[in-house]
């Protein structure tokens, strides 16, 4: 609910369609969701690099980074995670309006929070990518040693240990980084974008 009153939506002279035509590709959100250590950031960063190399406007919004700035007042309670995802959704929508393919790498554990972001956007603009790497593999990787801390009880409410992760029911794409190489996963995503005419066709 808006707290401010007496506000009106300002329209501009250049719209999303004009920006997309100018850049030569569609804009959308590639919404990576999955457990910590599942591979969201690694995938997003590599897809961004390849899109950029092929002259596609692309930009990664990453969990840890956004929490250093925009969302530095939020923690990991269910309410704070919901607010985290709500703000990211609004930021992602601005990027889509600006003609960019924005890649978001957040655990985003709640189905309802992700659904709300999908609803914010037009049809086809929300591409949900479920990074479905088994927790045993994520925990074994333990890139930031957070699973070990959670197991020792030093972090409370860690996703997958003592906080929930609600898997997507109908994601556009599912990736398992325990069985697919990085190259295979990136190719799967780029092929999806090409075959669905988000970007001109190219080989990853
Ligand atoms: N309690 C708890 N649970 C899960 N993750 C935790 C927690 N505390 C800190 N971290 C670190 O924060 C990163 C997840 O932040 P997100 O903004 O993606 O989380 S969420 O979408 O709001 O659930 C996550 O980063 P990724 O590993 O990149 O997913 C962790 O490094
Ligand atoms: N096939 C793969 N695809 C993506 N990441 C992989 C793969 N195999 C191993 N990894 C490693 O898994 C880790 C995933 O960490 P990260 O991308 O930070 O995950 P998240 O953003 O989901 O927390 C990285 O250290 C990465 O090098």
């Amino acid at each position: 609910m808006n707290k401010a009153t007496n506000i009106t939506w300002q329209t501009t002279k250049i719209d999303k369609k004009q920006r997309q035509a100018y850049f030569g590709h569609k804009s959308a959100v590639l919404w990576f969701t999955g457990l910590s250590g599942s591979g969201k950031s690694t995938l997003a960063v590599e897809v961004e690099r390849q899109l950029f190399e092929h002259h596609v406007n692309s930009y990664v919004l990453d969990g840890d980074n956004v929490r250093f700035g925009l969302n530095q007042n939020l923690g990991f309670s269910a309410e704070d995670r919901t607010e985290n995802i709500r703000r990211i959704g609004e930021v992602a929508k601005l990027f889509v309006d600006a003609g960019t393919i924005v890649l978001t790498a957040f655990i985003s554990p709640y189905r309802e929070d992700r659904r709300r972001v999908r609803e914010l956007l037009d049809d086809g603009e929300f591409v949900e990518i479920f990074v479905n790497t088994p927790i045993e593999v994520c925990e074994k990787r333990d890139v930031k040693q957070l699973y070990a801390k959670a197991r020792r009880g030093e972090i409370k409410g860690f996703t997958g240990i003592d906080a929930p992760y609600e898997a997507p029911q109908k994601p556009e794409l599912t990736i398992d980084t325990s069985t697919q190489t990085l190259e295979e996963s990136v190719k799967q995503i780029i092929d999806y974008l090409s075959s669905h005419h988000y970007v001109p066709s190219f080989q990853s």
Side-chain angles (χ1 to χ4, degrees), residues 34-37 40-41 62-64 67 76 81 84-85 105-109 144 146 155-159:
L35 296 170
S36 176
K40 303 180 297 295
S41 305
D62 184 82
D64 284 323
R67 282 176 173 277
F76 290 93
R81 289 182 200 248
N84 184 40
I85 298 311
F106 300 86
I107 297 175
S108 45
K144 302 168 191 161
L146 296 179
I155 304 178
K156 300 275 183 239
F158 194 77
T159 307

Side-chain angles (χ1 to χ4, degrees), residues 35-42 141 143 177 180-182:
L35 296 170
S36 176
S38 58
K40 303 180 297 295
S41 305
T42 306
R141 288 178 182 160
V143 184
T177 67
Q180 295 172 245
T181 64
L182 178 60

Side-chain angles (χ1 to χ4, degrees), residues 29 31 89-90 93 111-127:
V29 185
W31 189 278
E90 293 288 351
K93 185 182 163 87
R111 213 170 274 145
E112 179 60 16
D113 295 347
R114 297 190 303 263
R115 190 196 59 77
R116 244 182 259 124
V117 179
R118 189 187 283 270
E119 296 263 293
L120 267 183
L121 297 152
D122 290 343
D123 281 355
E125 287 180 346
F126 184 84
V127 179

Side-chain angles (χ1 to χ4, degrees), residues 1-12:
M1 180 64 79
N2 286 331
K3 287 198 172 167
T5 53
N6 303 316
I7 53 172
T8 49
W9 188 263
Q10 174 69 53
T11 52
T12 56

Side-chain angles (χ1 to χ4, degrees), residues 33-34 38 130-134 167 174-178:
T33 172
S38 58
F130 178 24
V131 189
N132 186 18
T133 306
T174 300
I175 284 168
D176 178 349
T177 67
S178 71

